[in-house]
Amino acid sequence: MPIDHHRLQTLTALARKVLWLSSWTIHNANHIRPNTDGLKVGGHQASSASLATIMSALYFAVLKPEDRVAVKPHASPVFHAIQYLFGNQTREKLENFRGFKGAQSYPSRTKDIDDVDFSTGSVGLGVAQTLFSSLVQDYVSAHGWMKDRREGRMIALVGDAEMDEGNIFEALLEGWKHGLRNTWWIVDYNRQSLDAVVREGLWEKFESMFSNFGWDVVIVKYGRLMQTAFAEPGGAALKTWIDNCPNQIYSALCFQGGAAFRKRLNDEIGDQGPVSRLIEARSDEELLALMSNLGGHDMASMVEAFEAIDHDRPVCFIAYTIKGVGLPFQGHKDNHAGLMTPTQMETWRAAQNIRPGHEWDRYEGLTQEALMLDAFLKDVPFVQQGTRRLGADVIEVPGHLSFKPSPEMSTQQGFGLVLHELARGDTELASRIVTASPDVTVSTNLGAWVNRRGLFARAEKADHFRSEKIPSTFNWDFSPKGQHLELGIAEANLFILMSALGLSSSINGVRLLPVATLYDPFIERGLDQLNYACYQDARFMVAATPSGITLAPEGGAHQSIATPLIGMAQDGLASFEPAFVDELAVIMGWGFQHMQRDAGTDDSGQRAGGSVYLRLSTRTIEQPQRMMTPELQQGITDGAYWLRKPGANCDLVIAYTGTLAPEAIEATGLLGDSHRDIGLLAITSADRLHAGWTSARKIRRDSRNPQHLSHIEKLLQPLPRDCDIVTVLDGHPATLGWIGSVCGHRMEALGVEQFGQTGTIGDLYRHHGIDANAIVDAAEKLSGVPVLHRKMAV
């Protein structure tokens, strides 16, 4: 349906204002308030220009309050300008764009004030996030939790060069498997990447690819000026020339201007009567306006394309644009680094009717009355419900998560047992847990949970092995009430799904408690996506198993080394590596609470809430028979406790993490005759210990509490100054190598620094120097005291 003339005029004027504000924001950051480090933000100026019309059409005409948008990273100034016109962004933050506490260079949920739906910046991740957020919305709706809320569209603004990112294609496949709905991807087809012009015919590949995955494809190539010209005598020849013009030539001509277009058209089309008259009837300025009137810059074309969609199938819009349109460097292949000079900006200011000193005025340069524009913006559908960031109630977590104990177990087995006990009950906690795994559900001990809770799909799908009466341990039925999402082998998809599930309370107003399982070494495959999820403050639990060289028969390709350091270094992620299942049950209970806590810091200066990473093992070890006291629980979640408390004359402490507990315990026994007093420190979270220590030092430096001590300081301060410490774990030794610095003790850090290989656990522990004898040798070298006993070689 054609757009109303008055509405079109208003939308076009607002888009023009958005282009000015976004360009002025960048100019201000570079020329008026320049960065002292000389960093330029030219890419934003060109990319923002190409999306000003598309985004204005979306926000001022098409979006509903329930819709969510991932904004192309370099279009951040356009987003902030739009929110500024709505009153959701401040002039102060725009003037401080890319400055400390200013509007962010890439939209950020956690650092911007203008209600960003999805953080973007790492290329392609925001795009894939919208796909998985749509699947999460389906999950919430199928479980009956949407109440009276309407389903929204999950929309991504994508650069054509951004489509090179592999995680986008992985996501497309997963969306097809799960019957994706309510998703729009709008490709800013400006035919330029950061360094060059894209290949010819790329749009055809996009069209074919999206169609193959079940998407509708809408190509918005020609604006109203072009369509009018095509209807004139000779218009068909002009359209044919435009369609056949190579990308590089078209971009270059847009930069050179109307005279260059005229010469090229005359040279290549020749004197053909009607088309020549069509060209000559326009001045150079008018000809450039015609030839640059691609669909992505034409408000009527974009609004009509968007409003024509009346279904929930996924849609890919390919909107033709010119990078930097309307600016002096439009179309130039170097415009990613291009910035308007002060002289160019002054010329453009005059052309936009912007008075000096009024650059930030909301309606400066527009001919429409301010009251009319205020009324129009107030009635925009997008803003009718105010802030769209929702909240959800906290789900109660029992004080103790139970499991069926065995004398010997692995932590991976224990993880499955804890979830199985939850699955057996009908608690609110169990109903809000949603699990996912990249084709390793069974091998990461989720089978019992899935058997009871089922797999999720929008339509029922029976397990045909059961219907054919073929014996199987696992029930693989799909239904809308299932609580497990089975993914293909793509860890990137797993972590973006965790990000989407972990933001459900904010996006859908429904709290979910996502739990992901994967092989520990494969965390590194999805590390960018994991970081992205944490940057958005999404909340989830990751159980990564099996870990380390303890997976001895599998060889180095399946053995992790650096993952404990990743767990420590990743902001927003509390990392644990328990040795025993009773520890794991405590940590999981704490984790479900931690996932629901508000952002900020607790009394110790650490993050009050966040996501949780459990580094687990398949190694079966003897389980302790003990009471889980409140003091022990606190030590486990704070990161460490004394398994064997040292006395006043302690001269040696062995500190271990995770599955090395048996070796540490055995070494303590072997050292008993040589050392008068040995402490055995069980470290459940090097991450929590280190974070607490660094926070405590900051608190003391800031003089907020000069007496404040962290948990590790309280544990180690009573030790004599000449006490030695040996640390050991199945991972990089640097994970615990800092502990000697806490109170100045001599120490030796044992761990794994090289790729593993196949063999028995004993073989590999000896080879890497983390077995009981290696611990004994380290203690002997530190103290100089000869050791009487060592473990006999088997």
Side-chain angles (χ1 to χ4, degrees):
M1 180 177 175
I3 185 171
D4 172 77
H5 179 69
H6 175 71
R7 182 179 179 224
L8 176 60
Q9 279 189 319
T10 305
L11 290 170
T12 303
L14 289 171
R16 179 179 152 209
K17 188 62 189 180
V18 165
L19 177 57
W20 165 262
L21 284 170
S22 60
S23 297
W24 179 253
T25 296
I26 299 162
H27 181 80
N28 179 76
N30 285 278
H31 293 295
I32 299 174
R33 184 191 54 81
N35 294 309
T36 55
D37 59 9
L39 181 64
K40 302 295 183 183
V41 291
H44 289 78
Q45 209 157 41
S47 293
S48 292
S50 69
L51 273 168
T53 298
I54 295 172
M55 290 179 62
S56 295
L58 278 174
Y59 281 93
F60 297 136
V62 177
L63 294 179
K64 303 296 191 295
E66 59 271 19
D67 296 333
R68 305 287 175 168
V69 185
V71 174
K72 178 181 169 182
H74 280 162
S76 168
V78 172
F79 173 78
H80 294 310
I82 289 171
Q83 298 300 323
Y84 180 65
L85 292 178
F86 280 136
N88 298 330
Q89 180 59 275
T90 67
R91 171 176 171 175
E92 177 187 19
K93 289 191 177 292
L94 284 184
E95 288 191 275
N96 196 28
F97 176 66
R98 288 194 76 160
F100 186 60
K101 302 292 186 181
Q104 296 295 296
S105 52
Y106 306 123
S108 171
R109 283 183 56 85
T110 57
K111 294 176 171 57
D112 277 316
I113 65 169
D114 41 3
D115 208 9
V116 173
D117 292 321
F118 305 112
S119 300
T120 52
S122 190
V123 179
L125 299 184
V127 181
Q129 172 91 28
T130 59
L131 183 150
F132 286 103
S133 291
S134 183
L135 297 183
V136 171
Q137 181 177 249
D138 282 346
Y139 181 93
V140 171
S141 181
H143 283 77
W145 294 325
M146 288 292 283
K147 300 178 183 176
D148 58 350
R149 288 196 68 252
R150 293 184 301 182
E151 292 182 349
R153 294 164 294 196
M154 303 296 167
I155 300 170
L157 293 154
V158 195
D160 48 7
E162 194 175 9
M163 289 295 296
D164 288 347
E165 286 291 335
N167 67 86
I168 291 177
F169 300 97
E170 292 178 343
L172 272 177
L173 181 58
E174 205 63 61
W176 170 76
K177 292 178 186 176
H178 286 86
L180 179 68
R181 304 184 306 134
N182 290 319
T183 304
W184 288 6
W185 286 0
I186 304 161
V187 179
D188 175 19
Y189 195 62
N190 61 38
R191 292 165 286 178
Q192 288 186 243
S193 63
L194 301 188
D195 294 330
V197 178
V198 302
R199 295 295 178 90
E200 300 298 327
L202 183 61
W203 69 271
E204 294 175 303
K205 302 301 181 186
F206 289 162
E207 182 179 33
S208 174
M209 176 182 67
F210 280 96
S211 296
N212 285 339
F213 282 117
W215 290 55
D216 286 9
V217 179
V218 177
I219 298 175
V220 190
K221 185 171 185 179
Y222 315 110
R224 285 294 183 84
L225 290 178
M226 282 189 171
Q227 293 174 41
T228 300
F230 297 159
E232 297 177 20
L238 178 64
K239 181 178 182 295
T240 299
W241 184 90
I242 290 173
D243 289 343
N244 292 332
C245 184
N247 291 339
Q248 289 203 43
I249 297 298
Y250 207 93
S251 295
L253 291 171
C254 286
F255 173 73
Q256 291 172 311
F261 262 118
R262 185 183 308 280
K263 183 178 186 306
R264 193 84 181 200
L265 288 167
N266 287 333
D267 287 348
E268 296 190 358
I269 296 178
D271 185 4
Q272 295 186 23
V275 68
S276 297
R277 286 192 294 273
L278 185 157
I279 296 166
E280 293 308 319
R282 290 161 170 84
S283 67
D284 286 350
E285 184 178 354
E286 289 170 334
L287 186 59
L288 179 60
L290 167 62
M291 301 304 286
S292 59
N293 180 233
L294 297 175
H297 303 311
D298 188 83
M299 182 62 70
S301 298
M302 290 311 310
V303 172
E304 289 172 7
F306 290 145
E307 292 185 342
I309 304 303
D310 60 356
H311 55 77
D312 65 0
R313 296 189 300 276
V315 183
C316 173
F317 297 89
I318 300 176
Y320 277 70
T321 62
I322 299 164
K323 195 169 182 181
V325 67
L327 305 182
F329 43 67
Q330 70 171 15
H332 198 291
K333 70 180 182 66
D334 296 342
N335 65 14
H336 179 72
L339 281 167
M340 280 191 280
T341 65
T343 300
Q344 289 173 327
M345 179 58 79
E346 286 301 313
T347 302
W348 196 50
R349 180 213 300 273
Q352 297 296 308
N353 298 317
I354 306 293
R355 294 169 294 166
H358 292 265
E359 295 87 357
W360 298 107
D361 292 2
R362 291 176 75 208
Y363 305 133
E364 178 72 8
L366 303 185
T367 58
Q368 289 83 353
E369 292 184 2
L371 288 177
M372 186 278 291
L373 291 170
D374 281 338
F376 182 90
L377 290 172
K378 186 178 180 181
D379 288 339
V380 166
F382 175 74
V383 296
Q384 292 310 298
Q385 294 179 11
T387 179
R388 296 164 312 108
R389 190 163 297 196
L390 307 176
D393 294 336
V394 171
I395 306 301
E396 183 180 355
V397 179
H400 175 72
L401 297 183
S402 61
F403 61 93
K404 187 176 180 180
S406 296
E408 293 187 347
M409 285 190 291
S410 69
T411 49
Q412 175 180 299
Q413 180 186 1
F415 169 77
L417 291 173
V418 171
L419 282 182
H420 184 227
E421 287 302 312
L422 283 169
R424 285 157 52 94
D426 60 355
T427 63
E428 185 72 3
L429 171 63
S431 73
R432 296 303 178 93
I433 293 173
V434 52
T435 59
S437 189
D439 204 36
V440 290
T441 298
V442 174
S443 53
T444 54
N445 269 57
L446 276 180
W449 164 268
V450 174
N451 278 349
R452 287 193 173 273
R453 292 288 169 161
L455 293 102
F456 173 74
R458 287 194 298 114
E460 300 271 355
K461 188 171 73 172
D463 183 344
H464 288 295
F465 273 75
R466 293 182 65 208
S467 62
E468 294 294 327
K469 298 182 180 180
I470 300 173
S472 173
T473 308
F474 303 104
N475 175 10
W476 221 244
D477 286 330
F478 291 80
S479 80
K481 298 304 178 186
Q483 290 181 238
H484 177 74
L485 287 159
E486 181 68 7
L487 302 179
I489 309 173
E491 285 76 12
N493 281 342
L494 177 72
F495 285 121
I496 300 180
L497 173 62
M498 286 297 107
S499 180
L501 290 164
L503 291 176
S504 179
S505 58
S506 176
I507 298 294
N508 301 307
V510 176
R511 190 179 301 280
L512 300 175
L513 297 172
V515 178
T517 65
L518 75 164
Y519 291 166
D520 189 67
F522 300 162
I523 277 181
E524 290 160 337
R525 291 183 180 178
L527 196 52
D528 193 16
Q529 290 75 16
L530 170 61
N531 180 67
Y532 170 69
C534 292
Y535 178 69
Q536 297 203 96
D537 199 25
R539 304 300 182 82
F540 50 89
M541 182 181 291
V542 177
T545 178
S547 63
I549 62 166
T550 302
L551 190 63
E554 295 292 332
H558 278 61
Q559 297 170 3
S560 56
I561 299 171
T563 50
L565 295 175
I566 292 170
M568 289 181 69
Q570 179 59 61
D571 187 21
L573 187 70
S575 172
F576 291 86
E577 187 171 356
F580 306 116
V581 176
D582 61 352
E583 297 170 351
L584 174 62
V586 169
I587 291 166
M588 288 178 70
W590 178 91
F592 287 130
Q593 293 174 327
H594 186 67
M595 290 158 62
Q596 301 183 72
R597 295 191 184 104
D598 292 336
T601 55
D602 59 21
D603 293 339
S604 70
Q606 297 188 66
R607 285 183 63 108
S611 293
V612 180
Y613 163 34
L614 309 175
R615 189 174 191 250
L616 306 181
S617 174
T618 52
R619 186 187 184 193
T620 299
I621 63 175
E622 185 179 350
Q623 300 295 303
Q625 305 299 311
R626 57 186 176 183
M627 291 290 293
M628 185 54 66
T629 65
E631 180 184 15
L632 179 55
Q633 274 188 299
Q634 189 67 50
I636 289 169
T637 57
D638 284 345
Y641 64 92
W642 289 113
L643 190 63
R644 174 174 171 171
K645 194 167 185 177
N649 299 314
C650 179
D651 62 352
L652 176 65
V653 166
I654 297 173
Y656 72 87
T657 285
T659 194
L660 267 295
E663 281 66 34
I665 293 169
E666 185 176 17
T668 301
L670 293 171
L671 289 161
D673 291 339
S674 307
H675 291 263
R676 59 184 182 275
D677 191 352
I678 302 175
L680 186 57
L681 185 64
I683 296 178
T684 54
S685 176
D687 176 28
R688 294 271 294 164
L689 285 184
H690 189 268
W693 180 48
T694 55
S695 296
R697 288 186 294 162
K698 189 175 189 302
I699 290 171
R700 293 196 294 268
R701 283 198 308 269
D702 295 345
S703 299
R704 283 178 282 162
N705 183 356
Q707 306 305 315
H708 178 75
L709 294 177
S710 65
H711 183 58
I712 188 63
E713 288 170 319
K714 292 175 184 177
L715 290 170
L716 298 184
Q717 268 201 351
L719 298 175
R721 183 65 179 78
D722 60 352
C723 179
D724 298 321
I725 301 175
V726 177
T727 63
V728 62
L729 81 158
D730 184 357
H732 199 283
T735 308
L736 302 176
W738 53 274
I739 286 178
S741 300
V742 174
C743 295
H745 292 103
R746 292 181 306 174
M747 70 164 292
E748 183 76 23
L750 306 181
V752 180
E753 298 179 81
Q754 298 173 333
F755 290 117
Q757 54 189 301
T758 55
T760 66
I761 289 177
D763 290 336
L764 267 61
Y765 280 13
R766 281 191 296 274
H767 174 74
H768 288 277
I770 57 173
D771 63 346
N773 283 342
I775 298 171
V776 169
D777 290 343
E780 183 179 59
K781 290 174 183 175
L782 278 174
S783 66
V785 177
V787 176
L788 302 177
H789 304 289
R790 280 178 172 78
K791 183 179 180 179
M792 297 295 293
V794 179

